[in-house]
Amino acid sequence: MRALTWQAPNRLSVETLPDPGIVNPKDAILKVVMSSVCGSDLHLLDGYVPTMHPGDVLGHEFLGEVVETGAAVTGLKKGDRAIAISIIGCGECGYCSEGHFNCCDNSNPNGQQTELAYGYSCAGIFGYSHAFGGYAGSHATYVRVPYADVNLFKVPDGVSNEQAVFVSDAAPTGYFGADRADIQRGDTVAVWGCGGVGQMAIRSAYLLGAERVIAIDRFADRLRLAEEKAGAIPLDYTRTDVHEALLELTGGRGPDRCIDCVGMEAHGTGIEQVYDKAKQQLRLHTERGAALRQAIRACRKNGTVSVLGVYGGLLDKFPMGAIVNKALTLRSGQQAGQRYVPRLFEHIQKGELDPSYLLTHPMDLEQGPEGYHLFKQKAQNCMRAVFLP
Amino acid sequence: MNHDHPTLVSTRHPVGGSDQPNVQGLERIASLVTGGVLLGHGLRSSGLGGWLQVLLGGLALARGTTGRCPAKRALTPTPLESELAEENRWSSAKTLSRSITIDKPRTELYRFWRDFSNLSRFMTFIERVEVLASDRAHWVARLPMGKTLEWTTRLTEDRPDELLAWMSEPDAPIRNLGWVSFRDAPQGKGTEIKAVIAYEPPAGKLGYALAQTLDLLPTMKAAQDLRRLKQLMETGEIATNSTRPATVRRPVEPSPTVFHHGSTGVH
Ligand SMILES: NC(=O)c1ccc[n+]([C@@H]2O[C@H](COP(=O)([O-])OP(=O)(O)OC[C@H]3O[C@@H](n4cnc5c(N)ncnc54)[C@H](O)[C@@H]3O)[C@@H](O)[C@H]2O)c1
Ligand SMILES: [Zn+2]
Ligand SMILES: [Zn+2]
C-alpha cells in the first residue's frame, strides 16, 4: 500500500509499505476513504513531540470501509462505512468503562515512555509517535484499527463522508472541550484558535447552551468562517487588545469559560514570542504558551479554562497565581470521542452541526507533503487538507 | 517468611536515615585528604582537566566535611532489602516491585497466576515456565544473544485468592524469590495486585551497586509486564502496534537487565 510517512522534522514522503493485517482478535482493517490533517500533526512535523521514527505513518482523523474483521469483532462487518476515534480505547479498563476512553489503561503498548514523562502510561493514538503507542496512522491505503468495536463507528444514513470524517477528531474534540468547560445557560465563552478544533468548539459551545461565543485568531478567513458558519464574534488578536476587548464585550465581567484550541506552538506577539520561541528551540521548554496564558488571565473569577490545544512537556511562565487567586478550574485532555459520536451524528442529521466546511483541500495521498505544507502555512485559506487514498 | 511485610518496597531509608551522616571514620578522612589534593592540583592545572579536578575535589571535600554522601546513600540497601537479605542469609538483596489494579475478580487472577506456565504470556523476558509439580516450577529466561538462564522455584506459600510466594532452589544461578498478593480494590473496582521480586546480586555489595545503577530499566520492565497482564486479563489480548501478524516469536530484547532474576550479574 501507499502511505504518507514522517522522515525527519518537516520532511515527509509517500512510501510503499506492506498492507496491514489482523493481528489481534478485536482488530479491523479499514480501507481508507478520507484521512485529514490535524493541528496535532504539526507538533510532530516540527519535532516537538519526541519518539517519532523515520517511516512512521501519520494521520489520525479518518473514514473508511471495513475490509476485514478479527474473530472477536461483533459490531462491524465487511463493507461498513465507518469512522475511527483518534484516541484509542480498549473498552474494558476502569477508565473506558466510565467513558474516559482518552485515559485508557490498555491501548498503549509502549506505556513506559509516558509513564516516565507523565507518571502514568497514557492511551495509544493513531499515527502519533511511539510514546503514544507507535500505531501506524491513516494517511495510507489501509489502516489497522485495534478494539474495532470500541473505536469504529458506522456512519448513519444521511451523513456524508465530508461531514463524518471530522467526527473522528475535530468535532468530538471541540465538543469534549466545550463539555469539559462546564458551560451554563447564558454563559459567554471565549475560544482561542479558529482551526478545525476551534470551529467545532465554538459550535459545540452554542449546542451546550452558551449565549455568546467570542473567537480569537489572526487569519481573516478562519475568523470569517467562525462568524459565518459557527456564529462567533470574531477578534483578530494582531489588531485588537484581546483582554480589553473581552472586557468590553462582557460588561467588564470577562468570559465565563475559556477554551484553548491553539496548543504548544501558539503564535505570540512582542517580547513574549521571542522569549518563548528561543527557549523552545533550545529545548529549554517544550511549549509556547501565549494563548493559554492569555486565556487564564482573561477568564473571569471562578470561571473554567478548558485546554484542548496539545502540550507535550513543560510550560514556562505558567500563571499559577491567576489560577489560585481567581479560583479558576482548569480542565483538559485528549478527546474522549467514543462518548460523543452518537450525539454528534444526531446533531448533524438534524442540521445543527455541519463540519464539512472544514474540508477545504481534498487531495491525492501522493500530494501529502504538499497538503501539509499548505496546512502548516495556512496558505490558500487551508483549514484542513484531506487525503483521498 | 512474612509476606505481608509492613515495610514498603519503596521505602528507601530507615527512620531518620535520609539526613544522617553516612560517611565516617577513615572514609571521611580519606575524602577530606583526596578532596584537598584534587582541589589544590586542579587549581594549578589549566583546561578542562583542571576544572574537573576542582569539581571532584570540591565534592569530596563536601563529603568529608559534612559526612554526607548522596551517591553512597543511593547505593545503600533499602530497609526491606536488608530484612530479606538477613532472613535468607544472602550477602545482599535487590528488590523490584510494582502494583497494578486489574478489573477482574481476585479468584480469576489468582488462578491465572497459580498456573505458573501462564507467566511467560506477559513477562517479556521469560521464555517459558514449566510446571514440574503443583509446588515446583522451572523457569527459562531469555538473555541477549540467544542465551538463556534457568532455575527452579518451589512454592513457599499459597493462600488461595490472596497470596502466592515462591523461592528458588539452592542451585539457582541467581538466588531469587518473589511473591504476589491479591486484594480487593475499593468499590468493586477489581483487584489490586502487588508483585515483588527479590534476588541476590551475584557479586554481593558490588553487584548491588551495579544492579542499582541499572534499576530504572527493570522497574520499568516490571511495570510494562504487569500492564501486559492487565491487558490480557481485561481485554483478552495484548496491545501491539504491529501491522502484520507475528511470523516469528517475540524478539529477544537487547537490554542487559531482566525483571524476574538478576541477569545483571551474568556477564
Ligand atoms: N485534545 C485533543 O484531543 C485534540 C484533538 C485535535 C487537535 N488538538 C489540538 O488542538 C489544537 C488546534 O488544532 P487545529 O487542528 O485546529 O490546528 P490549526 O493549526 O488548524 O489551528 C490552530 C489555530 O490557532 C491559531 N493561533 C495561533 N496562535 C494563537 C494565539 N496566540 N491566539 C489565538 N489563536 C492562535 C492559529 O492561527 C490557527 O488558526 C492543536 O494544538 C492540536 O494539537 C487536540
Ligand atoms: Zn487531531
Ligand atoms: Zn481502556
Side-chain angles (χ1 to χ4, degrees), chain B residues 229-245:
Chain B
L229 171 66
K230 181 176 162 76
Q231 290 162 3
L232 188 61
M233 299 311 292
E234 290 184 347
T235 73
E237 55 185 54
I238 291 179
T240 173
N241 56 25
S242 64
T243 56
R244 306 284 315 154

Side-chain angles (χ1 to χ4, degrees), chain A residues 152-170:
Chain A
L152 281 179
F153 291 83
K154 279 191 264 187
V155 180
D157 293 338
V159 178
S160 70
N161 287 355
E162 289 75 10
Q163 292 172 318
V165 66
F166 299 114
V167 179
S168 176
D169 195 62

Side-chain angles (χ1 to χ4, degrees), chain A residues 19-26 92-93 105-106 109 111-112 115 121 133-135 144, chain B residues 98 103 189 216 220 223-224 227 230-231 234-235 237-245:
Chain A
D19 290 353
I22 301 287
V23 183
N24 273 337
K26 296 182 170 179
E92 306 283 349
C93 69
D105 270 336
N106 290 327
Q112 66 277 19
E115 176 172 304
S121 81
Y135 287 101
R144 170 186 165 245
Chain B
R98 282 300 294 223
D103 202 357
K189 292 190 168 168
L216 189 62
M220 279 169 57
Q224 187 65 7
R227 272 197 292 271
K230 181 176 162 76
Q231 290 162 3
E234 290 184 347
T235 73
E237 55 185 54
I238 291 179
T240 173
N241 56 25
S242 64
T243 56
R244 306 284 315 154

